[in-house]
Amino acid sequence: MSKQGRGTDSEGEACCQGVASAPLGEEQAADLAKAFKALGDPVRLRLLSMIASRDGGEVCVCELTPAFELSQPTISHHLKLLRQAGLIDCERRGTWVYYWALPAALNRLAAFLRSAEPAGVGA
Amino acid sequence: MSKQGRGTDSEGEACCQGVASAPLGEEQAADLAKAFKALGDPVRLRLLSMIASRDGGEVCVCELTPAFELSQPTISHHLKLLRQAGLIDCERRGTWVYYWALPAALNRLAAFLRSAEPAGVGA
DNA sequence: AGGTTGCATCAACGAATGTCAATACAGCAA
DNA sequence: TTGCTGTATTGACATTCGTTGATGCAACCT
């Protein structure tokens, strides 16, 4: 539970230019694939959106678990994967654990996808 | 091999408001997860970037396969998954098959991720 | 101290995924 | 026609993934 800066946005790693800019090296592909794989599950997507759409920016696990018809260990597992992917982070505060999204990571992925066809080329 | 309009960009489906806008329903989550899952593999990410970064917009399979140290059926399989995810499309032209990216699909995913923290809130 | 609640980890299972060799199909060329 | 080349499909395999019940750990409350 690292409790990092909660990045407003810009973080180092200008990184890859976007899907339509260059053929993408093996390392960058492996790095991005980890993040996208974490997004490739409906439960994790819903968890992430529940966390990211929260006004205070934080959500207690005790609010996330009952929102799904899944066991508590399963939700905990998905939260762990999202955290390992660098998309969210968490902190224990007394009895409860709070999660928040890391916008820098999400914007990095968005920037990678966005650069597809800036203007109009085909047709 | 549908050969659709090769959308310059805008396509119906304004769809979901973005990860930070709403808790995301089950259907939307399942739909988005399919696309993200397709991006969750390094080989498919490299394939997609090779296709999307092509000037003419099209790439022959005969150029994609030798770029990887994988068997031809494996590459064909990954291309099929990308196509089923709606991220690319293809057309047979004589002996060869050409693939191109579908920017509308990529931009839809980017739009979903982008809306995370527009300005600066945390820290 | 003991008891209770919230969350994480462990061990195990079926299901899905990535990969390949073998095969099938489509189009071109003699 | 027969043969050859490019691509897709099939069948099989090892690995990974999603899920759960059982268990462990941390923090609160008597």
Side-chain angles (χ1 to χ4, degrees):
Chain A
M1 302 186 184
S2 39
K3 177 80 172 180
Q4 71 179 72
R6 253 131 158 162
T8 351
D9 197 309
S10 58
E11 208 168 57
E13 317 297 325
C15 179
C16 38
Q17 292 292 340
V19 66
S21 302
L24 199 59
E26 291 190 38
E27 297 180 13
Q28 299 181 18
D31 185 41
L32 286 168
K34 285 183 183 177
F36 282 124
K37 183 181 295 183
L39 296 175
D41 181 277
V43 175
R44 287 195 292 271
L45 269 186
R46 291 179 60 196
L47 282 170
L48 180 64
S49 72
M50 289 180 68
I51 297 172
S53 65
R54 243 319 170 43
D55 246 19
E58 295 177 342
V59 187
C60 176
V61 174
C62 62
E63 294 185 70
L64 297 173
T65 303
F68 298 83
E69 293 186 349
L70 292 170
S71 69
Q72 175 266 319
T74 298
I75 300 300
S76 186
H77 172 65
H78 285 305
L79 288 172
K80 183 180 183 178
L81 292 186
L82 284 172
R83 192 157 59 86
Q84 289 179 336
L87 301 176
I88 63 177
D89 203 355
C90 66
E91 179 191 37
R92 177 166 216 121
R93 208 166 307 155
T95 304
W96 296 279
V97 176
Y98 294 86
Y99 281 82
W100 58 86
L102 297 178
L106 298 176
N107 285 324
R108 168 171 163 261
L109 301 179
F112 171 74
L113 294 175
R114 175 189 39 70
S115 50
E117 204 109 344
V121 174
Chain B
M1 303 187 182
S2 41
K3 177 81 172 182
Q4 70 179 75
R6 252 129 159 161
T8 350
D9 198 308
S10 58
E11 207 168 59
E13 316 299 323
C15 180
C16 38
Q17 291 291 342
V19 66
S21 302
L24 200 59
E26 292 190 39
E27 298 179 12
Q28 299 180 18
D31 185 41
L32 286 168
K34 285 183 184 176
F36 282 124
K37 184 181 294 184
L39 296 175
D41 181 277
V43 174
R44 287 194 293 271
L45 269 185
R46 291 179 60 196
L47 281 170
L48 180 63
S49 71
M50 288 180 69
I51 297 172
S53 65
R54 242 322 169 41
D55 246 18
E58 296 177 341
V59 187
C60 177
V61 174
C62 62
E63 294 184 70
L64 297 172
T65 302
F68 299 83
E69 293 187 348
L70 292 170
S71 69
Q72 174 267 320
T74 297
I75 300 300
S76 186
H77 172 65
H78 285 304
L79 288 172
K80 183 180 183 179
L81 291 186
L82 284 172
R83 193 158 57 86
Q84 289 178 336
L87 301 176
I88 62 176
D89 202 355
C90 66
E91 179 190 38
R92 178 164 216 121
R93 209 166 307 155
T95 303
W96 296 279
V97 176
Y98 294 86
Y99 281 81
W100 59 86
L102 298 178
L106 298 175
N107 286 324
R108 166 171 164 261
L109 300 179
F112 172 74
L113 295 175
R114 175 190 37 72
S115 50
E117 207 108 344
V121 174

